[in-house]
Amino acid sequence: MTARRTTSQRHEVPPGDGLPPTAWAVLGLLSFPGERTGYELKKWADASLRFFYWSPAISQIYAELRRLEARGYATSRRSGPEEPRAKRSYAITEQGRAALAGWAGGTEDAGPPVLKHPLLLRVWLGHLTAPDQLRALVAEHIAQTEGDLKEARDALARAAGTEAWSHPHIALRWSVRRLESEVDLARAMLADLEEADPPAAETTPSSEPGPAGAGQPAEDSPTPG
Amino acid sequence: MTARRTTSQRHEVPPGDGLPPTAWAVLGLLSFPGERTGYELKKWADASLRFFYWSPAISQIYAELRRLEARGYATSRRSGPEEPRAKRSYAITEQGRAALAGWAGGTEDAGPPVLKHPLLLRVWLGHLTAPDQLRALVAEHIAQTEGDLKEARDALARAAGTEAWSHPHIALRWSVRRLESEVDLARAMLADLEEADPPAAETTPSSEPGPAGAGQPAEDSPTPG
DNA sequence: GTGTACATGTAATCCGTTACATGATTCC
DNA sequence: GGAATCATGTAACGGATTACATGTACAC
């Protein structure tokens, strides 16, 4: 409900582009010099874009490449007999570059960032789970995020050699910091959970004993937090 | 490629539930005491779950509610003539609560958090955009995030009165901190962008002048960072 | 009496995933 | 010779959105 106008009445398709975000991402990969196969694009996306954008199914990359070509935003070329493998390599066209630059420059709103965090949903539903089990889930998430963080750092280190690609580099730095923050956030939440529901232990003989009204709040209460 | 096993061979559908994440979220909303209409669920999701999970289309909430009822996870009741409006109210069943508790407890992996950040894609593609235009996009994102942050803080303040709902409260606290971090991250990125490409100004007479090899790196270079 | 909020749905469409199918090349 | 990687695609399906359709209640 955050504004986001519905383009007015009578289904007039956005005259210009109307491409899904994934198409722009694929075209973006092609915007760097050189030509590439769908397979290569997939590997590349998994190594960089995945940290802040997405990691698409390979079948969809092929589909987007065909669409991009149909629009004149990319051209493709079958490998000749000199190359060992039969494959199809794509390159961006002038038209494609212009359209992409328009998208990247922000003439049409690219939409807000989307975050879908199942762990948080589980925490939100913490009343259904045993406290230590919930904390274990958070701890597991921390471990997993630390793994991602390591991978992002490796990617950043790899990219450090290849200079002149400053913008991908900046995006990766953002990703590393973001993952660091994700770990911090999870740790802070763990602390909150412990405070709200101290682990069964002999070292906390203060405050309320426990089973007062923690179970079910008054019936018919309106939408909480 | 972060593990995430493909459930092994031969399409054996997950025997138990196989519900999409959205269904669990809707059922989760129902797991708090009281009965609610689809319309109320939508409003509630927009006021809380949206900060860390999702904000579904109203039509889909109705669809999920019907599915949940078909599975026996929820029951519905039409409003009688005593109520001013004709509507259908849903409540969770014992079965539904049990299934949801199983999901929330983590027996089946709920999947990793998903982040799709169009701004970062644009930054990654910064070579296509004028430096100050790109910085303007980041600045706009900061402003927008600060708006979200304010809303999240308001939600937290509203929830502060309604105690005993400690878990939703903890999730909201996480969201507030997360949005604060998002602002910090964007500011840091802005600084990186300024360093990489100093704004046309008279106050920085040091380091390299600029247009050396910043345009197109050597042709045929392999997949960069 | 007009607009907004409440309230529920259907239909069309599309993005995206999973599963399936196929085959060549390279590495061990 | 067998596994992993390279390489490309089709088919089925499902989740989710947008647009459309409809109507009541309430506030101003």
Side-chain angles (χ1 to χ4, degrees), chain B residues 50-207:
Chain B
R50 110 171 131 98
F51 292 113
F52 51 85
Y53 201 67
W54 90 157
S55 174
I58 178 69
S59 62
Q60 191 175 4
I61 289 195
Y62 288 122
E64 293 297 349
L65 284 171
R66 288 188 291 265
R67 160 153 49 180
L68 255 16
E69 187 168 28
R71 294 239 178 166
Y73 289 177
T75 50
S76 76
R77 166 184 87 76
R78 283 193 312 271
S79 59
E82 76 285 1
E83 271 150 307
R85 273 169 195 282
K87 56 185 171 179
R88 183 171 289 274
S89 298
Y90 289 82
I92 197 170
T93 62
E94 281 310 308
Q95 236 197 103
R97 186 174 296 275
L100 178 62
W103 180 87
T107 48
E108 329 199 8
D109 186 9
V114 171
L115 174 67
K116 196 165 189 171
H117 209 311
L119 176 69
L120 262 288
L121 185 55
R122 282 172 161 177
V123 169
W124 193 76
L125 295 173
H127 61 288
L128 296 165
T129 306
D132 49 319
Q133 196 177 347
L134 189 56
R135 284 190 292 262
L137 288 171
V138 177
E140 198 190 325
H141 171 247
I142 291 173
Q144 208 138 332
T145 307
E146 278 169 341
D148 280 3
L149 178 56
K150 190 179 173 305
E151 285 172 53
R153 280 185 176 139
D154 288 354
L156 189 60
R158 276 197 306 279
T162 322
E163 211 35 48
W165 299 94
S166 78
H167 287 107
H169 196 265
I170 288 172
L172 264 187
R173 284 180 72 179
W174 182 94
S175 303
V176 167
R177 293 195 192 111
R178 205 231 110 209
L179 287 166
E180 287 167 350
S181 155
E182 178 85 6
V183 171
D184 289 348
L185 254 24
R187 292 226 172 93
M189 188 163 64
L190 211 46
D192 284 355
L193 287 169
E194 264 155 25
E195 198 190 342
D197 230 330
E202 59 277 31
T203 43
T204 37
S206 50
S207 43

Side-chain angles (χ1 to χ4, degrees), chain A residues 179-199:
Chain A
L179 287 166
E180 287 167 350
S181 155
E182 178 85 7
V183 171
D184 289 348
L185 254 24
R187 292 225 173 92
M189 188 164 65
L190 211 46
D192 284 354
L193 287 170
E194 264 154 26
E195 198 190 344
D197 229 331

Side-chain angles (χ1 to χ4, degrees), chain A residues 123-136:
Chain A
V123 168
W124 193 76
L125 295 173
H127 60 290
L128 296 164
T129 306
D132 48 320
Q133 197 176 347
L134 189 57
R135 285 192 292 262

